[in-house]
Amino acid sequence: MSNALEKINNFFKEKSWIKVFLIILMLMFVSFQLRAQTADMKFAQDNEFLKDMFSDEHGRMYLLALDPYYYLRLSENLYNNGHCGDTIKVVDGKETPYDLYQYAPPGHPLPWEPPVICLATLAIYYIWHSIDLTVTIMNAAFWVPAVLGMLLGIPIYFVVRRVTNSNIGGIAGAIALISAPGLLYKTCAGFADTPIFEVLPILFIVWFILESIHSQEKTALFKKDLKNPISLFVIAALIIELIIGAYLNIASGESVVIASILFYTVSLAFILAGLIIAGIKKLKGNELEFELFALLAVILTAVSPKMWGAWWYGFDVITAFLVIYIIALALLKSQVKIKEFINIGNLKNIVYLSIFYIFGSFVLLVAIYGMGIAISPITSPLGYNQILSTYTQTTGWPNVYTTVAELAKPSSWSEIFTNAIGSDTIAIVGILGILLSFLSLRYEKVKLDIKYSILLAIWLAVTLYAATKGIRFAALATPPLAIGLGIFVGQLERFLKMKSDIAIFGIGIPAGIFGLLILSKYSAKISQILLPTTYVPIIAYGFLIVLALLAIYKISDIISTLNDKKETIIKVSTLLLCIGVVIPPLSAVVPFSVAPTFNNGWKEGLDWIKANTPNNSVITCWWDNGHIYTYEARRMVTFDGGSQNSPRAYWVGRAFATSNENLSIGIIRMLATSGDEAFKKGSVLMNFTHNNVSKTVKILNEILPVDRSKAYDILTKKYGLSDKKAKLVLNATHPEHPNPDYLITYNRMTDIAPVWSMFGFWNFSLPPNTPNDKREKGAFFKGTAYYLGNGTILANVNVYTYSYVTLINSTNISTAIVQKINGQAKIIGTFKIHKLYIKTPLGVKELVLNKDGQLSEFIRIEADGRGYAWLATRNLEDSIYAKLHFLDGYGLKHIKLVKATIDPTDFGIQPGFKIYKVDYGTDYLK
């Protein structure tokens, strides 16, 4: 046995690349496994009904979140139409792909060039569909982030390994990134959105730049024969990229799609070829030319603008690093006395490298995108605060961004660190690792190496600053913190390998004990960590095989050192240290599950709209699910997640919050037919009021509920508009041929009533920057109701920590506020109800109970015995939403329920996904 283990150990030492290859495979498998957990639908807890509701006919789960459905629709359009539009329209004299449904009417034009995520989706679809004909484009889109996420750990591992020469550190850093909760959620299977492209490019560019710096420290630049194969490869690649990029820049029409695919394909081919060449040269023991990795960095930088709009921040970080590093080297080179303590790179070579990267990237960017994008790394940071301020800026209209959770400013550094890397502890260790990165233990004696600390410090400072402006940017700080953690672990291993007693007994043994304690604490989760999902068996069991091979190697490696106690302690303690570091973050994300929003109940309703409504129909809805509605129903929506911050937030909120049905249908009629024409900048009313939003809104709220002739009188007699201008306004507010409209409510709208009602009650006379908590808003509190027989109903609604109980019988209505005190329910008072609605299969009963009551109550008893109850703030007691969703349109003349389906996404009425037809009538045209 010992001989076999010795042979295994010698084999891995002789062919060290196999160990590196297995580590890379392990990291890729771990990343995929963590991200694939969503496919198991653990949220359903083995409830087959829920599993069926959230999956297609083949049992494959629907996409998560909301925005992925926008890219899914574009992907299907690209597959079916050859471009991402729903149709082709002539815009400014040119044929242009056109999105008919988003923010419609009128919709908007799209670029010919398809988003990268759409191409990635179709690439996976073509491969998978060729094997399984049941696969849909949605199924392929589901796996895009998980497949691309397999690449996340690779650059982290190599960067940390380059800094510390430690595989243990590289593994720890890579897993810290892979398992970071904020990043995991936005790159898990099903979240087919762009966040994966916010992180991947800069990770690889940083890796390529550092490898290029390392290579130039050992090789002379531009002193080789230009006929050298690597030189020829670099020159050829740059020329080909330049030609294809230039063609992409000047291409038009459908040729842009072909040019885009060609550009991405060729760029990917060059990157893969470069990595293969580097791997082969490494295996042969040859030094790598700096130009090879510099070329890969340039190509990836040129592709980055197609992946994410804020790509420039990565370019700026690297450029700033190169400039500062050059200055630092220039200063250090003059200090003869400290040269032996500092690893000083060749200043001339670094200058050449910087020129190659910055100038090469600039040339390609100009060729591909034009000067505007090429200089955006300079211009964009100048307007960065302005970009971030769009989330909090005040205009005449309400700012929806102030209510979007991920755009909120973090309240503390702890919140930033938790969102970035999972915990304060990991973040602090990561920062310590960045500080320690200037200490090089790769050599026989301790030296200083400043390049890594400069790069990581700049990277972390920039991303943490961005995170202070909006919590969604915290994930940008994940990579430098993960690298810092890996460096910290790697530096400890390097220190231990110096074999001093201080290191072994002061760090080695405590590190081993730490690892054992972590193993003991998380022992119950080890099986979940090793096998979080078996949804893709080849990956699941492939990971276990790779891990087993690495374990065999490590055991043989430890056994081979048993004659050297210090070496044995070092190997055991570093292994346990790595285990102790990676287990907590891994255990925090297993099991991991997220339920989709889209489901078969909603699908049934939206399919009904698709099959039974005219093509020019509009869906009026709150913005959050707009992308889902346009995807499945293929009908226009008022606004969605890509257009939520618009005046329509006020108008749609107003349509739901008002108790005036005529005003509500007037708003819906206006938005469905003319969109923003009546109130956009440059419109008749905005010009008349000198861009006074408050006055424009006041006028519209007066004319929308009344018929055309009365509205004409208001405009001309009260406000003094000319006949021509008044008629132009009325063409937008009282159109002769309005688009049909269908209103949608669903159960979660009850929960978010404080948001849409705040916009609906928006007081434009208040200062625009008035905090949201100082503005009027309404709310509903959900509960249950029970029919006890003999006309008796009991309702119970939880309001924060109290239970509001209502008992109704044929002679009396009584209320009580109940609180649990020491486990015992105790009545602590009563509450006054202003208005009470009771809906039963026999009809709706409406009662005014107390004129001073600040709460109103809705009680709904179904024929099958189910009961619901809601307490409402008084300002929403007669709202259009309440009458629609709770009372199925009771008291309304022009908005009728036409379809209701199951809504499994939130507690509330069932069926709770409701579609209403808006009947404008013809009286408004009088």
Side-chain angles (χ1 to χ4, degrees):
M1 181 69 176
S2 59
N3 289 335
L5 291 174
E6 185 178 350
K7 288 180 179 179
I8 291 171
N9 187 47
N10 291 334
F11 173 79
F12 275 99
K13 285 183 177 180
E14 291 172 4
K15 300 186 181 297
S16 58
W17 66 269
I18 294 179
K19 178 174 63 175
V20 173
F21 176 72
L22 290 175
I23 289 173
I24 293 301
L25 272 184
M26 179 191 71
L27 294 174
M28 293 175 70
F29 289 164
V30 168
S31 181
F32 184 88
Q33 283 290 89
L34 293 180
R35 284 158 176 75
Q37 291 181 89
T38 50
D40 289 330
M41 294 192 282
K42 297 183 181 74
F43 64 85
Q45 298 180 340
D46 295 324
N47 184 316
E48 293 303 319
F49 170 77
L50 287 179
K51 286 186 176 182
D52 290 341
M53 285 298 295
F54 289 103
S55 60
D56 64 17
E57 64 272 25
H58 300 289
R60 300 185 184 116
M61 195 173 83
Y62 292 128
L63 300 184
L64 303 175
L66 308 170
D67 289 354
Y69 288 91
Y70 171 71
Y71 293 107
L72 176 59
R73 180 164 63 88
L74 297 192
S75 297
E76 291 189 355
N77 285 345
L78 180 60
Y79 178 78
N80 293 319
N81 306 333
H83 55 80
C84 290
D86 301 295
T87 187
I88 297 290
K89 281 191 175 184
V90 177
V91 179
D92 297 329
K94 295 181 179 179
E95 287 191 340
T96 303
Y98 205 86
D99 188 335
L100 292 172
Y101 306 127
Q102 185 182 36
Y103 202 74
H108 62 85
L110 293 170
W112 278 100
E113 186 175 355
V116 175
I117 191 169
C118 296
L119 295 178
T121 297
L122 292 185
I124 291 178
Y125 170 74
Y126 282 121
I127 295 170
W128 192 7
H129 187 72
S130 67
I131 301 170
D132 184 351
L133 295 179
T134 68
V135 170
T136 65
I137 294 176
M138 179 190 282
N139 299 151
F142 185 90
W143 290 105
V144 167
V147 171
L148 294 178
M150 296 176 76
L151 304 175
L152 286 169
I154 296 174
I156 298 289
Y157 167 74
F158 280 114
V159 167
V160 174
R161 190 168 179 264
R162 174 61 64 202
V163 178
T164 63
N165 197 26
S166 167
N167 287 316
I168 293 291
I171 292 170
I175 289 181
L177 178 90
I178 288 166
S179 61
L183 184 62
L184 175 64
Y185 170 69
K186 291 192 173 183
T187 58
C188 65
F191 204 106
D193 204 346
T194 57
I196 188 70
F197 298 112
E198 297 174 13
V199 179
L200 265 183
I202 190 172
L203 287 179
F204 277 89
I205 294 171
V206 165
W207 173 34
F208 295 154
I209 287 293
L210 290 179
E211 288 296 334
S212 185
I213 290 175
H214 177 76
S215 299
Q216 64 77 34
E217 290 175 349
K218 296 188 175 184
T219 59
L221 306 186
F222 303 117
K223 293 183 180 179
K224 302 182 296 295
D225 183 356
L226 287 179
K227 293 181 180 179
N228 178 285
I230 299 300
S231 298
L232 292 175
F233 174 77
V234 170
I235 293 170
L238 285 174
I239 292 174
I240 293 172
E241 285 282 313
L242 193 61
I243 293 171
I244 297 176
Y247 172 65
L248 178 58
N249 190 20
I250 64 174
S252 61
E254 295 180 6
S255 61
V256 175
V257 179
I258 299 172
S260 298
I261 296 172
L262 179 63
F263 177 73
Y264 297 134
T265 304
V266 170
S267 298
L268 180 60
F270 279 133
I271 292 172
L272 291 176
L275 291 174
I276 291 171
I277 292 170
I280 292 173
K281 288 179 71 67
K282 189 71 175 175
L283 285 177
K284 291 182 177 180
N286 298 328
E287 294 297 339
L288 299 177
E289 289 84 347
F290 97 100
E291 300 100 317
L292 186 59
F293 279 106
L295 168 70
L296 302 186
V298 167
I299 292 176
L300 195 49
T301 299
V303 176
S304 294
K306 298 183 180 298
M307 297 183 180
W308 186 38
W311 67 275
W312 48 264
Y313 101 90
F315 180 82
D316 285 344
V317 165
I318 293 167
T319 301
F321 155 65
L322 291 172
V323 172
I324 293 173
Y325 186 42
I326 288 171
I327 295 172
L329 287 182
L331 295 174
L332 290 172
K333 283 185 77 70
S334 62
Q335 306 298 317
V336 180
K337 294 182 180 180
I338 64 173
K339 277 188 176 182
E340 62 178 298
F341 303 108
I342 300 181
N343 180 36
I344 299 178
N346 187 306
L347 177 58
K348 188 177 180 180
N349 289 353
I350 295 297
V351 172
Y352 286 154
L353 167 61
S354 302
I355 292 172
F356 183 92
Y357 173 70
I358 296 170
F359 183 71
S361 298
F362 178 77
V363 170
L364 278 183
L365 289 167
V366 170
I368 300 167
Y369 310 100
M371 188 61 71
I373 294 295
I375 64 172
S376 62
I378 299 173
T379 58
S380 294
L382 297 177
Y384 185 57
N385 281 326
Q386 183 177 357
I387 293 171
L388 293 175
S389 69
T390 59
Y391 303 127
T392 56
Q393 70 182 5
T394 55
T395 64
W397 296 99
N399 187 349
V400 173
Y401 290 145
T402 61
T403 64
V404 179
E406 70 169 13
L407 299 179
K409 285 188 175 182
S411 58
S412 65
W413 283 106
S414 179
E415 184 180 358
I416 291 174
F417 290 149
T418 300
N419 278 272
I421 200 73
S423 74
D424 292 352
T425 302
I426 296 177
I428 291 170
V429 174
I431 293 171
L432 289 175
I434 291 173
L435 295 176
L436 285 174
S437 63
F438 77 93
L439 190 66
S440 178
L441 304 178
R442 293 172 55 90
Y443 308 94
E444 294 180 359
K445 55 183 178 180
V446 178
K447 296 187 73 172
L448 303 181
D449 195 335
I450 61 172
K451 58 178 171 285
Y452 306 114
S453 55
I454 292 174
L455 172 59
L456 293 172
I458 295 172
W459 194 358
L460 184 63
V462 167
T463 52
L464 287 181
Y465 173 73
T468 63
K469 302 301 181 180
I471 196 62
R472 74 160 300 233
F473 300 111
L476 299 180
T478 305
L481 288 173
I483 291 172
L485 175 70
I487 290 173
F488 184 86
V489 174
Q491 296 288 55
L492 287 183
E493 183 189 22
R494 299 307 306 175
F495 185 57
L496 282 171
K497 287 188 175 181
M498 291 182 175
K499 295 188 177 181
S500 68
D501 290 342
I502 294 176
I504 291 174
F505 294 103
I507 295 178
I509 293 177
I513 294 172
F514 164 75
L516 289 172
L517 290 174
I518 293 295
L519 268 174
S520 175
K521 180 179 179 180
Y522 293 95
S523 59
K525 272 205 166 184
I526 297 298
S527 60
Q528 286 180 304
I529 292 172
L530 293 176
L531 207 63
T533 174
T534 57
Y535 196 89
V536 183
I538 192 172
I539 300 291
Y541 299 116
F543 164 69
L544 294 180
I545 292 171
V546 169
L547 191 62
L549 292 173
L550 287 171
I552 291 171
Y553 154 70
K554 198 63 185 176
I555 291 170
S556 66
D557 187 38
I558 292 172
I559 291 176
S560 70
T561 64
L562 290 179
N563 293 329
D564 185 341
K565 291 184 179 179
K566 284 188 175 182
E567 187 68 22
T568 302
I569 292 173
I570 290 170
K571 290 189 178 295
V572 173
S573 60
T574 52
L575 176 62
L576 289 172
L577 172 63
C578 183
I579 291 172
V581 169
V582 303
I583 282 182
L586 287 174
S587 68
V589 292
V590 293
F592 173 71
S593 181
V594 184
T597 299
F598 185 55
N599 59 82
N600 285 324
W602 289 25
K603 185 178 188 300
E604 180 186 345
L606 296 170
D607 285 347
W608 182 90
I609 291 178
K610 185 192 297 184
N612 295 280
T613 66
N615 290 334
N616 65 329
S617 297
V618 177
I619 297 173
T620 295
C621 58
W622 193 239
W623 66 265
D624 50 359
N625 296 314
H627 287 316
I628 290 178
Y629 301 160
T630 56
Y631 167 72
E632 187 61 29
R634 300 295 164 133
R635 293 294 183 270
M636 297 182 281
V637 298
T638 44
F639 65 157
D640 53 40
S643 56
Q644 71 267 52
N645 195 34
S646 74
R648 298 189 186 190
Y650 165 73
W651 291 114
V652 174
R654 186 69 176 157
F656 280 119
T658 184
S659 59
N660 185 335
E661 184 183 10
N662 288 331
L663 173 59
S664 183
I665 64 172
I667 291 170
I668 293 168
R669 181 184 63 226
M670 173 182 69
L671 294 180
T673 308
S674 65
D676 298 349
E677 289 299 316
F679 49 82
K680 70 180 182 180
K681 190 173 182 179
S683 66
V684 171
L685 280 182
M686 286 294 279
N687 287 337
F688 174 75
T689 62
H690 305 290
N691 292 319
N692 186 317
V693 172
S694 178
K695 190 171 182 180
T696 298
V697 169
K698 181 177 182 296
I699 294 172
L700 287 173
N701 274 318
E702 286 186 50
I703 66 173
L704 285 169
V706 301
D707 61 39
R708 190 178 177 102
S709 60
K710 289 180 182 177
Y712 177 84
D713 288 343
I714 292 172
L715 290 172
T716 55
K717 295 178 182 179
K718 182 175 180 178
Y719 291 104
L721 270 74
S722 67
D723 173 76
K724 180 180 179 181
K725 289 182 178 179
K727 288 178 178 177
L728 287 173
V729 173
L730 293 174
N731 287 341
T733 59
H734 295 67
E736 187 175 351
H737 301 290
N739 287 329
D741 190 273
Y742 292 83
L743 206 61
I744 290 179
T745 66
Y746 60 101
N747 283 331
R748 186 171 171 268
M749 277 194 72
T750 304
D751 296 339
I752 62 172
V755 176
W756 53 258
S757 66
M758 178 182 70
F759 293 121
F761 293 135
W762 198 264
N763 185 342
F764 289 88
S765 64
L766 292 175
N769 59 352
T770 301
N772 288 346
D773 59 0
K774 302 296 183 184
R775 290 191 176 273
E776 180 184 359
K777 61 188 71 173
F780 298 108
F781 303 94
K782 299 184 296 188
T784 53
Y786 308 91
Y787 181 65
L788 305 179
N790 298 322
T792 302
I793 297 173
L794 178 68
N796 180 31
V797 178
N798 292 322
V799 182
Y800 305 118
T801 59
Y802 302 94
S803 293
Y804 283 63
V805 180
T806 304
L807 182 64
I808 303 168
N809 56 39
S810 57
T811 59
N812 187 43
I813 299 175
S814 58
T815 65
I817 303 175
V818 179
Q819 183 181 24
K820 278 193 174 182
I821 302 175
N822 296 325
Q824 299 293 321
K826 183 177 180 181
I827 297 176
I828 61 171
T830 60
F831 62 98
K832 295 179 180 179
I833 298 174
H834 174 247
K835 186 176 285 190
L836 175 66
Y837 288 97
I838 303 174
K839 184 181 185 305
T840 69
L842 300 177
V844 177
K845 190 174 184 179
E846 178 182 351
L847 302 169
V848 176
L849 301 181
N850 193 309
K851 65 179 182 179
D852 298 323
Q854 294 304 305
L855 293 173
S856 292
E857 188 160 20
F858 296 83
I859 295 175
R860 180 178 174 125
I861 303 295
E862 307 287 8
D864 61 4
R866 288 175 298 151
Y868 310 94
W870 301 267
L871 283 176
T873 51
R874 189 163 168 173
N875 56 2
L876 288 179
E877 66 181 11
D878 289 322
S879 64
I880 296 298
Y881 174 80
K883 288 185 175 180
L884 288 175
H885 199 66
F886 304 153
L887 305 176
D888 295 344
Y890 164 78
L892 301 178
K893 297 179 179 179
H894 302 283
I895 310 176
K896 302 298 181 182
L897 180 67
V898 292
K899 181 71 174 177
T901 59
I902 293 176
D903 178 14
T905 61
D906 208 16
F907 172 81
I909 298 169
Q910 290 301 350
F913 186 78
K914 300 188 173 186
I915 301 168
Y916 310 85
K917 174 73 171 69
V918 181
D919 180 9
Y920 309 126
T922 56
D923 289 348
Y924 76 93
L925 289 172
K926 291 179 181 178

